[in-house]
Amino acid sequence: MATRTVIKWPLPIAVAISLFLMPYLALYLKEALRLASWLPPGDDYAFHVYFALMAARDPLSLLGAGQYPGLVHLLGFASGDPFALGRLYGLYALFLIPAGIALWGLFFNALGAPRRLAFFLSAGAVLGSVRTLAGLIDGQIAEKTVLLVVVPLGLYLWARGRPLASIAVLSTSLFINYLGFAYAGLLALFIALRDRRALLFLLALAALGALFFHNKLLTVLGLSSGGWAAGEGSLVLDPLRGVLYAFYGPSGLVLPPLALLLARGSSKSQPLLLTALAVFALGIAAAGVGERLLRVSSLLLPAAVFASLVERRSGLWPAALALYLAGPGAAGWLWLAGGWEGLFARVERITPEKWDAYLSLLSLLPPNASVGVRWSLDLWFIPLAYAYRPDLNVSVWVCSWGPSGFYVYSPPDPRQWYLPCIASAGPPPGVLVYERNGVGLYRRLAVQDP
């Protein structure tokens, strides 16, 4: 390990890395701007709009036992219009990218990195995580709020010598997302183990949470522990493929042993190193949420390694950064050469034609009807029904159709990516009674005409 010296800003290296990344950054920007075009394209945005509408209609639901509504659903107070909320959530997801760069940069700066280097490294960590962008496109904005805002803010406060404030910030993840709570809570524990007062404070917060929010705490812990088993629709990858997939290249094979080596000692970056290694290990071991944990580690691990290297005043950071960015950078050049269509499989779950069809179908359904929709195919029907036909009872089916009086169904688009069980899904068990813009309304055969 290099001796502790003042870290220099090697301009030629920074310029070389930036030039290598130019095509990738252009492709990254092209993908990211989809969040600001009409409605965001991914699966989960429909649910976030639904829960935002629920939070505005019933604010006490924010304190309920379920994972959602959560703090990100406070946007529901901004508008009761599902379309406006969808646009707001797309812009919110886009905002999380610069917010993450800023907050991770503040953490690196607090560890001793010069300001230019701190934000250069934070930009590399955030922008180099292709799967973080893919998660934002998909609509994982609650969990990415923890990853891009809560965690780096908590680490910044820890690096500035404020462990109690750090743990308080990290504890808010309980009201944001169950997966985020799992790794933010782990980080809070590693911080608390370094400071007696912080440990007592964490125990006090845990006791208060168990007393006042025990239903939510138990639900979140149950959802987290349930991730060990593969559920319906889980994306299960073998360990090697999962690591290469999550890190978008071979850096995921080198960064974990490097982080393990750097974790020895009592540095300010040690809690993050230990958390990142634990998330990486759990991502390999957990079948249910393993793929999502590996996505998280694709940002936590490089950020932890960068943090440790700058804290140790090591000159190895350019090598670590170049290794991490090699895969995404190569993808950019392949795209420029015409051999790569995009950074990840395309999704486009909502279109103006579908939106118009859903509104039309809502006017045809009888009062208090039960309606089934398929995951990834027609999820936007849910917030529209909640806003304009609250009498309807809408259920979501993933890999197989369940019992409902009516079904809303649009066939999979061959140009998009779906879970295999959805891509091969056929129409629901019923008779087509209405069709508009490719979206069909089906009535279950056992149900008589209203």
Side-chain angles (χ1 to χ4, degrees):
M1 188 62 63
T3 57
R4 282 182 172 270
T5 57
V6 176
I7 303 179
K8 296 181 179 180
W9 172 250
L11 184 60
I13 294 177
V15 170
I17 292 175
S18 300
L19 289 175
F20 173 66
L21 288 176
M22 283 300 177
Y24 166 72
L25 293 176
L27 179 55
Y28 185 101
L29 182 62
K30 174 178 173 289
E31 297 280 12
L33 288 178
R34 294 180 62 209
L35 294 167
S37 62
W38 201 63
L39 286 175
D43 285 320
D44 294 353
Y45 285 101
F47 283 114
H48 288 301
V49 170
Y50 165 74
F51 282 113
L53 292 169
M54 179 187 294
R57 189 174 295 178
D58 179 17
L60 290 179
S61 63
L62 292 163
L63 303 177
Q67 176 184 195
Y68 295 144
L71 293 179
V72 298
H73 301 118
L74 291 174
L75 271 181
F77 291 97
S79 175
D81 178 15
F83 183 82
L85 281 175
R87 292 295 305 271
L88 280 174
Y89 275 118
L91 295 174
Y92 175 79
L94 194 61
F95 161 77
L96 286 176
I97 298 171
I101 293 172
L103 290 169
W104 280 105
L106 287 174
F107 170 55
F108 295 149
N109 183 238
L111 291 177
R115 185 170 300 174
R116 281 188 302 177
L117 175 58
F119 289 99
F120 188 72
L121 288 174
S122 68
V126 173
L127 299 180
S129 179
V130 175
R131 300 307 172 191
T132 296
L133 176 61
L136 290 173
I137 294 291
D138 191 50
Q140 298 167 11
I141 52 175
E143 187 262 310
K144 300 313 175 194
T145 297
V146 178
L147 183 64
L148 295 171
V149 175
V150 175
V151 166
L153 179 57
L155 285 167
Y156 169 73
L157 292 169
W158 158 247
R160 293 298 300 267
R162 301 175 63 186
L164 303 189
S166 171
I167 290 173
V169 167
L170 293 170
S171 68
T172 62
S173 59
L174 175 65
F175 302 95
I176 300 176
N177 174 265
Y178 78 89
L179 195 66
F181 175 68
Y183 59 82
L186 194 60
L187 177 60
L189 177 61
F190 285 130
I191 288 174
L193 292 175
R194 298 282 304 276
D195 185 286
R196 184 174 178 273
R197 287 190 311 140
L199 180 59
L200 293 175
F201 182 65
L202 180 62
L203 292 173
L205 284 180
L208 289 173
L211 180 62
F212 294 104
F213 306 110
H214 59 278
N215 288 333
K216 179 177 284 290
L217 187 63
L218 290 174
T219 301
V220 172
L221 290 174
L223 288 169
S224 300
S225 62
W228 286 96
E232 186 181 35
S234 297
L235 181 59
V236 182
L237 303 174
D238 66 80
L240 178 59
R241 184 185 172 197
V243 170
L244 295 175
Y245 161 86
F247 285 79
Y248 221 75
S251 65
L253 304 176
V254 181
L255 289 174
L258 180 57
L260 190 61
L261 177 66
L262 293 171
R264 295 184 302 173
S266 56
S267 61
K268 287 285 187 180
S269 56
Q270 188 189 54
L272 176 59
L273 284 162
L274 295 175
T275 301
L277 286 167
V279 170
F280 179 80
L282 289 171
I284 292 175
V289 294
E291 179 260 345
R292 292 190 63 181
L293 285 172
L294 285 175
R295 286 187 182 210
V296 172
S297 68
S298 74
L299 196 157
L300 284 184
L301 260 176
V305 168
F306 300 160
S308 181
L309 291 175
V310 298
E311 186 181 11
R312 293 165 182 258
R313 309 299 189 267
S314 171
L316 293 178
W317 69 262
L321 181 62
L323 170 69
Y324 173 59
L325 295 175
W333 286 100
L334 284 172
W335 170 72
L336 190 65
W340 208 268
E341 293 185 4
L343 285 171
F344 30 75
R346 186 173 181 83
V347 296
E348 195 73 46
R349 306 308 197 208
I350 184 66
T351 63
E353 293 76 19
K354 274 193 169 185
W355 187 274
D356 175 68
Y358 295 149
L359 292 176
S360 178
L361 267 58
L362 283 172
S363 66
L364 299 176
L365 286 161
N368 305 309
S370 64
V371 185
V373 299
R374 199 66 175 259
W375 185 275
S376 294
L377 298 183
D378 297 291
L379 292 178
W380 273 97
F381 183 82
I382 299 172
L384 288 175
Y386 188 83
Y388 303 127
R389 287 292 306 275
D391 60 297
L392 298 178
N393 179 22
V394 184
S395 302
V396 181
W397 308 106
V398 182
C399 288
S400 59
W401 292 105
S404 293
F406 293 85
Y407 299 92
V408 173
Y409 173 75
S410 55
D413 182 348
R415 299 168 297 178
Q416 298 187 45
W417 178 90
Y418 302 92
L419 289 168
C421 66
I422 294 173
S424 60
V431 58
L432 178 65
V433 295
Y434 181 79
E435 188 272 337
R436 185 181 180 93
N437 298 336
V439 181
L441 176 64
Y442 290 75
R443 185 182 70 247
R444 194 178 181 194
L445 293 175
V447 178
Q448 298 298 318
D449 288 330

